Amino acid sequence: MLISHRYRFIFLHNRKAAGSSVTAFLNRLMGPNDLQVGIWRDAIRYGGRYNRRIVRETLSRDGLRAAGYYARKLRAPRPSRFVERVQEYKYAPILHTTNIAHPTAAAVRDAFPHEWEAYWKFCVVRDPYEKAISDYYWMTRKLPRGQVTFTEFLKRLADPKRPDPERVVPNPPTNWPLYTIDDEIVADRICRYTYLEADLVRVLREIGVDDLEGSLPRAKNAANKKSERACEWEKEDVDLVKLIYRQELTSHDESYF
């Protein structure tokens, strides 16, 4: 998630929809008091910078207390990873999630009510079938091949009570609550993953951002090439995707794009 006071927008960060790349890109636009929550490793890797706010929060009393704790837990941590852990300490209680880069829209609204009412909100969505494949390979990348099948992964997404000993179910399982409240889309504009650069440029120009030099980084594009391989879709898999992502598949109106 990123809140720009300079340009008065909120970027709602959906999972597995190029959100890390977009955050790294938006980091270049940040003012001294803007808020980026998470994704600092990717932002710094692709030429981003720490702003005054993150330095101030890291060096605060609570930030230093968290820094001391994580210094003992992490082995030679990079500064960006350190900053992310300190942010977890501060923002997990505020946003009601340990995955602070991906808070629900309702949590963002409650935590930042003034900005929520006054600022432009946008996000990126991805075709649910593509997202399911990408998410599967990302969440199982450290497991022996075939230990959790694609069908089993989808079954766990569809049934929160189904055992998940390998912990492959992501947090959150779907993006729907990240850009909706009470099943209503709250983003003013939605960028499409397939046309990301063009949509992002158009949306940013709508809110007065004209300095858009540099191409969009691919923060996790090379993380696992398997995610680009098509799965062999069985009817059961198709039915499960339709169940898991039923809102995304039926709700989008062209007026948002």
Side-chain angles (χ1 to χ4, degrees), residues 161-182:
K161 296 181 180 179
R162 193 176 182 88
D164 182 32
E166 296 87 0
R167 302 180 69 180
V168 298
V169 174
N171 174 27
T174 74
N175 286 329
W176 185 244
L178 304 191
Y179 63 105
T180 68
I181 297 176
D182 296 329

Side-chain angles (χ1 to χ4, degrees), residues 23-77:
T23 300
F25 184 80
L26 296 176
N27 176 275
R28 307 170 190 174
L29 307 175
M30 287 177 63
N33 293 308
D34 291 347
L35 175 61
Q36 177 183 320
V37 181
I39 317 302
W40 283 99
R41 280 175 284 181
D42 291 326
I44 300 303
R45 183 185 306 150
Y46 289 99
R49 57 182 173 78
Y50 300 109
N51 66 345
R52 188 182 303 164
R53 177 171 186 159
I54 190 61
V55 172
R56 183 174 66 245
E57 290 184 351
T58 302
L59 296 179
S60 69
R61 179 185 299 178
D62 287 342
L64 291 174
R65 184 182 298 116
Y69 171 77
Y70 286 116
R72 296 188 296 271
K73 298 280 286 186
L74 300 176
R75 188 176 299 175

